[in-house]
């Protein structure tokens, strides 16, 4: 450009052009140039106006840039494209599309530089409809042969999850690029479309594109995310054979796939390769390695990997992977110890760390520890989220910590996460396990978008409370609302039928599973049916069903039969069930105890001694009866026969007084529930020490008159305790809620909600 070509430049201040052309000119200099151009009357000149737009846009002064652009009477494509590009670069996609629309209204047609930016803006906004209009514009004005424009359309359709449309555009690309090819094959891999992904991968050479490391990683990661773990491993082997050296992304994805496959031998081979490559200090690889050992249930190798890892190289992700892996394998004490060590050392821990530890405790019987961790988490300034609360609530439900559960509910309401379907479902489950089925229903009704987990939670709650009619009503309502029942739904409704003794309806639901919904009966469904038939006294029919099962029955099925035999004191079928259980669960003392109790009910003391001798020879002990009760925001545990409680003397005295009142009312202790060869007086003393009676007496001593009592027991409530608590509820004027391993019993005014059928 010369002054001869542009005569008006001859009298121009010589400092103006360098300022407008400079990439480092300050905003102040740009404004000075703008003022000079206005004063000189040169703003209508496209050269100066476009330069000004560019300078303002590059400094993110978009209002000034737009003001200059609007002042141009006949703007050029360059003026618009400069601002569109800058807005897009700053993620101001809506403004970018607005400028594009204004450009079209001026009759200015876009070029191959503007179109990719506009398509990219559509992708960021998920504006598929507008993107399709631009695609039509591309076809109309002959940009179908422009690789950059076409590639931008491929990315738009992929971001909009329109993989078929992306493939159609991809097929028409005049020449490919590795980024576009990689994006398409990754999308296919993530969706689990193995053949399509491989087809794209093979077709890359047709377009003259050589796969790079990003392409390989896209395939491996995509296959892993879609559950095609074997394909991910095969793809890695092929990558290795082609001479490509993996990076930390490749190794992390591979270890994740190996862990999901639970193939430890392959994992060990990958570990050796990791050591060879020198990746053992990479935080991403360390995290994936911990996760892999955890999924493969290799606690020893997991701890060895941790001990050999420099803790300085572990980031918070690796620490989380370690805690989760230990908890997943039931090594919660070690997980708690390491978690506490991290805290003392001041290592970074985030909401995932705390949530993982709370979940580990909740899932492994350390419910009180889970509640304590939740308190400490908040004291440490870490805010729980919509994952933390569903992990905590099962702990509240397991030990009927209603006050803690309500506190978690309040937190969910205050933070606005109550509407989360997982939080809502967990609250439904928690309240039902805490004996407040009416609150479960209120929470259920408040969930805006219910899924099958929500429906199953309320159905299971009604079943646990012996409300068979309500559970069946929910089952039908679920289908009327357009939700198809799954195998868990049928487990819940069959369990409800079992609690209510509804044999005919149970058969109806069992048969309708496959007939109406194509669901094959699973082990748990057969277990429910055996329990239903057995508890209703149809033991031979239950045994016949077991013999006709299409697969070998597991312990849950034989356990249901053995429990029913104990209920009806059937020795012959009880012995058959027990023999099978001894093979399936040789270290479970509960099965020996049930058989021993059947013999004891018939005064077959020699057989009782033989069973208990067998237990002793195997080093097994009977699990003691244990009950929990929550009083004044604290959970108390009472063990059968345990004298360590500081109030035990008062508890025994209270039970003695109640026993005298019961005898005055004509009640005599049912010593048939004492399955030991001792005299009647000793049997009465043994009955007095049952943990649920101790918990009731403890509650009476430590709560104001009329306060409801909530008790959880780890075993099935015995018949004598059931009668005693019915009497206490009427005599003391208390509502007493007892949850045993089978169901809830709601005692009020001398009556139990189970109708004495349990």
């Amino acid at each position: 450009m010369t002054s001869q070509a542009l005569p008006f430049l001859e009298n121009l201040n010589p400092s103006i052009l360098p300022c407008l052309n400079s990439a480092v000119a300050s905003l102040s200099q740009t404004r000075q140039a703008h003022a000079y151009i206005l004063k000189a009357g040169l703003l209508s000149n496209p050269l100066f106006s476009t330069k000004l737009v560019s300078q303002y846009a590059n400094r993110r002064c978009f209002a000034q840039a737009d003001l200059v652009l609007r002042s141009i009477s006949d703007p050029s494509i360059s003026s618009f494209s400069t601002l569109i590009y800058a807005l897009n670069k700053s993620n101001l996609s809506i403004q970018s599309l607005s400028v594009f629309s204004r450009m079209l209204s001026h009759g200015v047609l876009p070029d191959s530089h503007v179109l990719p930016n506009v398509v990219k803006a559509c992708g960021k906004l998920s504006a598929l409809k507008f993107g399709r209009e631009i695609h039509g514009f591309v076809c109309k004005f002959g940009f179908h042969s422009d690789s950059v424009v076409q590639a931008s359309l491929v990315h738009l359709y992929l971001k909009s999850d329109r993989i078929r449309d992306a493939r159609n555009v991809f097929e028409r690309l005049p020449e490919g690029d590795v980024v576009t090819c990689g994006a398409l094959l990754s999308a296919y891999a993530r969706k689990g479309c193995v053949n399509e992904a491989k087809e794209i991968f093979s077709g890359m050479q047709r377009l003259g594109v050589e796969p790079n490391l990003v392409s390989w990683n896209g395939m491996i990661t995509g296959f892993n995310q879609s559950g095609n773990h074997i394909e991910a491993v095969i793809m890695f082997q092929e990558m290795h054979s082609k001479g490509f050296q993996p990076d930390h992304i490749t190794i992390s994805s591979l270890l994740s796939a190996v862990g999901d496959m639970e193939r430890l031998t392959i994992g060990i081979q990958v570990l050796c390769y990791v050591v060879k490559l020198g990746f053992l200090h990479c935080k991403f690889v360390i995290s994936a390695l911990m996760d892999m050992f955890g999924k493969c249930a290799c606690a020893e190798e997991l701890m060895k990997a941790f001990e050999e890892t420099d803790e300085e190289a572990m980031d918070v992700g690796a620490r989380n992977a370690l805690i989760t892996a230990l908890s997943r394998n039931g090594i919660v004490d070690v997980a708690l110890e390491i978690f506490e060590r991290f805290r003392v050392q001041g290592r970074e821990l985030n909401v995932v760390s705390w949530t993982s530890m709370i979940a580990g405790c909740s899932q492994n019987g350390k419910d009180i520890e889970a509640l304590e961790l939740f308190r400490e988490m908040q004291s440490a300034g870490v805010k729980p989220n919509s994952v933390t609360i569903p992990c905590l609530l099962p702990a509240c439900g397991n030990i009927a910590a209603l006050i803690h559960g309500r506190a978690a509910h309040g937190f969910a309401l205050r933070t606005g996460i109550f509407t989360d379907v997982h939080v809502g479902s967990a609250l439904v489950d928690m309240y039902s396990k805490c004996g407040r089925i009416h609150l479960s229903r209120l929470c259920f009704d408040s969930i805006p978008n219910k899924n099958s987990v929500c429906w199953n939670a309320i159905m299971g709650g009604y079943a646990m409370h012996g409300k068979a009619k309500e559970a069946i009503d929910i089952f039908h309502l679920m289908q009327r609302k357009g939700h198809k029942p799954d195998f868990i739904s049928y487990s819940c409704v069959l369990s409800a039928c079992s609690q209510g003794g509804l044999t005919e309806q149970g058969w109806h639901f069992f048969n309708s599973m496959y007939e109406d919904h194509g669901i094959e009966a699973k082990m748990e469904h057969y277990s429910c049916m055996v329990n239903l038939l057995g508890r209703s006294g149809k033991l031979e029919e239950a045994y016949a069903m077991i013999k006709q099962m299409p697969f070998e029955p597991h312990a849950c099925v034989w356990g249901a039969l053995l429990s029913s035999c104990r209920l009806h004191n059937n020795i012959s079928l009880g012995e058959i069930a027990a023999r099978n259980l001894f093979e399936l669960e040789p270290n479970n003392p509960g099965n020996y105890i049930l058989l021993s109790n059947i013999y004891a009910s018939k005064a077959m003391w020699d057989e009782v001694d033989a069973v208990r001798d067998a237990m002793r020879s195997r080093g097994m002990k009977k699990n003691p009866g244990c009950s929990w009760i929550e009083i004044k925001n604290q959970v108390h545990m009472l063990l059968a026969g345990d004298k360590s409680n500081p109030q035990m003397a008062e508890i025994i005295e209270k039970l003695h007084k109640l026993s005298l009142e019961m005898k005055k009312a004509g009640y005599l202790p049912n010593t048939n529930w004492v399955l030991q060869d001792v005299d009647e007086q000793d049997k009465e003393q043994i009955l007095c020490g049952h943990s649920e009676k101790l918990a009731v007496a403890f509650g009476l001593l430590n709560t104001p008159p009329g306060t409801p009592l909530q008790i959880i027991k780890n075993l099935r409530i015995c018949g004598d305790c059931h009668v005693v608590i019915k009497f206490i509820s009427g005599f003391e004027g208390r509502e007493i809620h007892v949850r045993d391993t089978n169901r809830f019993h709601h005692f009020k005014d001398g009556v139990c909600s189970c109708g004495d059928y349990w």
Side-chain angles (χ1 to χ4, degrees):
M1 184 181 298
T2 65
S3 58
Q4 199 170 16
L6 299 171
F8 58 84
L9 293 179
E10 291 179 357
N11 300 320
L12 187 65
N13 187 325
S15 65
I16 296 303
L17 271 181
C19 171
L20 293 176
N21 288 322
S22 173
V24 295
S26 67
L27 179 59
S28 175
Q29 290 173 315
T30 302
R31 284 173 173 164
Q32 288 175 10
H34 188 181
Y36 183 86
I37 289 169
L38 283 171
K39 185 177 179 181
L42 298 174
L43 192 60
S44 59
N45 186 282
L47 170 66
F48 295 113
S49 56
T50 301
K51 291 286 186 182
L52 275 175
V53 170
S54 178
Q55 287 291 346
Y56 278 129
N58 290 339
R59 282 153 189 77
R60 296 177 56 84
C61 298
F62 298 118
Q64 291 95 322
D66 192 53
L67 187 66
V68 173
L69 181 59
R70 288 178 183 276
S71 68
I72 304 172
S73 57
D74 189 22
S76 66
I77 181 69
S78 301
S79 306
F80 283 107
S81 64
T82 298
L83 185 54
I84 288 171
Y85 172 77
L87 288 166
N88 222 28
K89 189 177 179 182
S90 298
N91 291 319
L92 298 170
S93 305
I94 294 176
Q95 294 89 325
S96 176
L97 294 180
S98 176
V99 173
F100 176 73
S101 297
R102 207 162 75 230
M103 183 184 89
L104 295 179
S105 68
H106 275 78
V108 180
L109 296 178
D111 59 12
S112 59
H113 299 291
V114 172
L115 285 171
N117 281 293
V118 176
V119 173
K120 186 177 182 181
C122 291
K124 288 179 180 178
L125 295 170
S126 299
L128 180 61
K129 184 179 178 182
F130 194 48
R132 286 192 182 280
E133 291 176 6
I134 295 173
H135 190 178
F137 188 94
V138 166
C139 296
K140 181 177 179 180
F141 289 94
F143 289 100
H144 53 270
S145 60
D146 190 298
S147 296
V148 178
V149 174
Q150 294 294 322
S152 69
L153 286 168
V154 173
H155 288 284
L156 164 67
Y157 286 127
L158 289 177
K159 285 184 178 179
S160 302
D161 200 28
R162 308 287 295 191
I163 195 167
R164 185 66 256 175
D165 292 329
R167 178 70 180 272
N168 289 337
V169 177
F170 177 81
E171 295 290 358
R172 295 179 176 84
L173 278 174
E175 57 182 64
D177 67 272
V178 70
V179 176
T180 306
C181 294
L184 186 61
L185 64 88
S186 294
Y188 271 124
R190 282 194 304 272
K191 283 185 171 292
C193 303
V194 176
N195 294 332
E196 290 85 349
K198 288 183 175 180
E199 186 180 333
I200 295 292
F201 197 74
S202 302
M204 288 175 72
Q205 295 190 8
R206 175 183 63 80
L207 296 169
V209 179
E210 281 296 326
N212 62 5
L213 181 60
V214 176
S215 305
W216 289 101
N217 282 349
M219 287 283 280
I220 294 169
T221 304
F223 283 143
N224 184 40
Q225 291 174 349
S226 64
N228 289 282
H229 308 304
I230 294 176
E231 292 292 342
V233 174
I234 292 171
M235 190 56 62
F236 173 77
Q237 292 172 331
E238 187 177 339
M239 169 187 171
H240 184 62
S241 68
K242 298 282 187 183
F244 283 88
Q245 182 166 311
D247 61 5
H248 64 279
I249 297 174
T250 324
I251 297 297
S252 299
S253 297
L254 179 64
L255 285 169
S256 177
V258 171
D260 288 327
M261 292 165 60
E262 300 181 11
R263 297 289 294 274
L264 180 62
T265 52
I266 299 176
I268 297 296
Q269 292 173 12
V270 176
L271 174 58
C272 295
Y273 190 50
V274 165
V275 174
K276 181 180 177 182
L277 292 174
F279 284 160
L280 204 52
H281 298 291
C282 172
K283 57 186 179 182
F284 301 107
V285 174
I286 293 171
S287 178
L289 194 62
M290 302 287 183
D291 183 62
M292 183 271 292
F293 280 132
K295 287 176 178 175
C296 291
C298 298
E300 187 177 341
E301 287 81 358
L302 173 64
M303 288 305 301
K304 185 178 178 182
F306 168 63
E307 289 162 2
E308 293 178 355
T309 300
D310 180 6
E311 287 191 29
E312 295 293 335
M314 294 180 69
D315 67 348
V316 66
R319 294 184 200 106
N320 293 345
L322 174 64
I323 293 166
T324 302
L326 289 169
S327 300
R328 183 187 288 130
N329 287 282
I331 316 173
V332 192
D333 291 328
V334 176
L336 279 167
E337 181 184 327
I338 291 174
F339 182 80
E340 188 59 31
R341 187 203 305 179
F342 287 153
R343 290 182 64 192
V344 171
Q345 292 174 346
R347 306 287 184 191
E348 182 189 356
L349 296 170
N350 58 16
V351 64
V352 178
S353 318
W354 286 91
T355 299
S356 298
M357 198 64 258
I358 289 169
C361 290
S362 182
Q363 292 164 6
N364 289 279
K366 291 189 173 292
D367 304 301
I368 295 174
E369 290 85 346
L371 300 180
E372 184 61 34
L373 277 167
F374 184 69
R375 282 195 291 266
E376 292 177 11
M377 174 185 188
Q378 294 174 88
S379 299
V382 181
K383 185 178 179 182
N385 60 18
S386 59
V387 180
T388 313
I389 300 302
C391 291
L392 172 73
L393 287 171
C396 301
N398 290 342
I399 55 175
L402 182 61
I403 295 174
H404 292 83
R406 279 177 167 158
H409 188 181
F411 178 87
L413 288 169
R414 289 193 304 275
T415 54
I417 61 174
F418 171 76
T419 54
D420 181 276
V421 69
H422 303 292
V423 174
S425 299
L427 283 167
V428 170
D429 183 64
M430 181 274 294
Y431 278 123
S432 68
K433 287 180 177 175
C434 287
R436 304 299 188 272
I437 191 65
H438 63 289
L439 295 178
S440 283
R441 183 58 187 264
L442 285 174
C443 288
F444 172 78
D445 290 337
S446 301
I447 300 172
N449 298 306
K450 301 175 181 66
N451 61 9
S452 60
V453 178
C454 306
W455 291 97
N456 292 342
I458 188 63
M459 215 183 311
Y462 278 132
M464 186 192 305
H465 286 260
K467 294 181 176 292
K469 179 183 180 300
E470 289 84 347
I472 292 170
D473 288 344
I474 285 286
F475 183 80
H476 293 312
L477 178 63
M478 174 186 187
Q479 294 175 80
R480 288 198 300 273
K481 294 290 185 180
H483 293 270
K484 184 179 178 181
D486 57 17
F487 73 96
I488 297 175
S489 310
Y490 273 102
S491 295
C492 293
V493 77
L494 287 172
S495 175
C497 291
S498 178
Q499 296 297 347
L502 306 177
T503 309
E504 289 185 12
Q505 285 177 276
W507 272 119
H508 165 75
F509 287 118
F510 184 81
N511 292 327
S512 72
M513 263 194 307
Y514 185 77
E515 292 172 2
D516 295 346
H517 299 287
I519 299 173
E520 296 280 358
K522 296 180 180 290
M523 193 69 66
E524 51 265 46
H525 302 124
Y526 281 100
S527 176
C528 286
M529 284 303 297
V530 169
N531 190 50
L532 168 59
L533 295 169
R535 290 179 69 239
S536 62
K538 300 180 179 181
L539 292 168
E540 292 295 341
E541 191 174 339
Y543 182 47
M545 187 177 199
I546 294 176
K547 291 190 289 185
Q548 293 170 7
M549 285 175 60
F551 37 75
E552 285 297 314
H554 286 186
C556 62
V557 177
W558 288 115
L561 181 62
L562 182 60
S563 295
S564 297
C565 290
R566 165 67 188 95
L567 185 64
H568 297 285
N569 298 321
N570 187 306
I571 295 174
S572 58
L573 287 178
E575 288 176 335
I576 293 172
R579 279 197 298 270
N580 283 279
L581 285 166
F582 294 162
E583 290 182 14
L584 293 167
E585 297 178 328
N587 299 315
N588 184 352
N591 299 323
Y592 289 85
I593 295 298
L594 278 173
L595 180 61
S596 171
N597 289 348
I598 295 173
Y599 287 141
S601 68
K602 299 291 187 180
M604 300 169 65
W605 303 117
D606 290 340
E607 286 78 1
V608 169
D609 291 340
V611 172
R612 303 210 168 180
D613 286 342
M615 286 180 65
R616 279 191 290 271
S617 68
R618 290 169 172 78
M620 289 187 287
K621 292 182 179 179
K622 176 184 177 181
N623 294 324
C626 179
S627 294
W628 293 265
I629 182 170
E630 184 181 26
I631 296 174
K632 296 177 183 176
N633 206 24
Q634 185 176 355
V635 177
H636 301 267
M637 181 174 69
L638 293 102
L639 288 168
D642 183 24
K643 306 294 183 183
S644 62
N645 191 295
Q647 289 184 268
M648 188 52 69
E650 298 171 67
I651 292 171
I652 296 300
E653 184 182 356
K654 180 67 175 177
L655 287 174
H656 179 66
K657 289 179 179 178
L658 287 169
S659 177
L660 292 177
E661 293 294 337
M662 293 168 70
K663 286 179 179 178
K664 287 180 187 177
Y667 163 82
L668 293 175
N670 186 354
T671 55
N672 290 331
W673 290 97
V674 178
L675 302 171
Q676 298 176 36
D677 191 12
V678 294
D679 61 37
E680 289 299 306
Q681 188 174 356
D682 288 337
K683 287 184 177 182
E684 286 191 32
Q685 290 297 318
I686 291 169
L687 285 173
C688 185
H690 281 193
S691 66
E692 58 267 52
K693 287 179 185 169
L694 299 177
V696 169
F698 182 79
L700 293 173
L701 291 169
N702 292 282
T703 58
T707 304
L709 301 179
Q710 173 89 24
I711 295 158
I712 302 293
K713 186 179 181 185
N714 67 333
L715 303 173
R716 185 174 179 270
I717 187 172
C718 83
D720 182 71
C721 289
H722 193 266
V723 172
V724 169
I725 297 174
K726 279 200 300 182
F727 174 83
I728 293 173
S729 71
F731 182 78
E732 293 282 347
R734 300 278 193 127
E735 288 186 31
I736 304 174
H737 310 284
V738 179
R739 192 186 87 202
D740 64 9
T741 54
N742 192 39
R743 58 163 294 156
F744 252 103
H745 298 265
H746 299 282
F747 299 93
K748 183 179 180 181
D749 298 329
V751 178
C752 179
S753 61
C754 73
D756 297 335
Y757 181 84
W758 84 99

